Amino acid sequence: MNAENGGWNKTGIALFLVAIGRLYLRKPAMAANPSSAPKHEKPTKGPSALASLGFGGLMFALHYLLSDSSTIILWTWSGFTVRGPLAVPHGTWTIATMGLGLMAGLFYPNLVRTWTAFGIGSVGAAVLTYCENWTGYYGGLAITLYVTAVAPIL
């Protein structure tokens, strides 16, 4: 959108400049309170290549599956005269499941790290791939829950 059709570009640029100005005028936290300096912890050991593959898989899944709430819904359609979920009323279930998964990852990270959770996500991905209509959508919700739950952990 631009200024001719109702866009707020100038307002957005002004807010951006105010935010950048506030960022550079702020004092560092350590100068205000030296006792709040971060404690040095040992870094986690392990192969960084495997960690980067996991993070890349997460980014791919979030972008490919969940960048639009109707993507999973459209994957489950088997043709005209749709017998499965529709984008408008049922996309809210996808968004709600994304929120539920995020909350699970933030508040119950030890539950999300289990092999059982991984198995549920894997079965959900298989059901999404091989089933149609509502059954496929339920599998999509399972993989949605798992992917968004592991996001804060990774």
Side-chain angles (χ1 to χ4, degrees):
M1 298 192 58
N2 55 34
E4 287 81 31
N5 62 8
W8 290 37
N9 296 350
K10 292 178 184 173
T11 306
I13 292 172
L15 289 173
F16 164 75
L17 292 174
V18 169
I20 293 296
R22 285 191 61 183
L23 179 69
Y24 283 108
L25 294 176
R26 183 173 52 182
K27 293 181 182 178
M30 287 180 55
N33 187 3
S35 64
S36 67
K39 309 266 189 288
H40 293 288
E41 298 179 8
K42 288 185 176 181
T44 305
K45 302 227 186 242
S48 59
L50 293 178
S52 65
L53 287 175
F55 186 72
L58 172 70
M59 289 296 113
F60 174 77
L62 287 173
H63 176 72
Y64 193 63
L65 292 174
L66 303 174
S67 61
D68 184 355
S69 63
S70 64
T71 302
I72 293 173
I73 294 171
L74 296 176
W75 272 11
T76 63
W77 287 359
S78 58
F80 186 65
T81 310
V82 178
R83 294 180 303 268
L86 299 173
V88 173
H90 303 111
T92 55
W93 286 102
T94 305
I95 295 170
T97 304
M98 290 167 62
L100 185 65
L102 182 62
M103 298 300 281
L106 289 173
F107 294 114
Y108 302 105
N110 291 333
L111 179 68
V112 175
R113 289 182 180 133
T114 63
W115 284 104
T116 305
F118 175 74
I120 291 171
S122 299
V123 168
V127 169
L128 174 64
T129 303
Y130 293 111
C131 296
E132 297 175 344
N133 301 321
W134 284 103
T135 307
Y137 181 61
Y138 295 141
L141 290 180
I143 188 67
T144 298
L145 184 71
Y146 178 71
V147 165
T148 54
V150 253
I153 296 169
L154 286 176

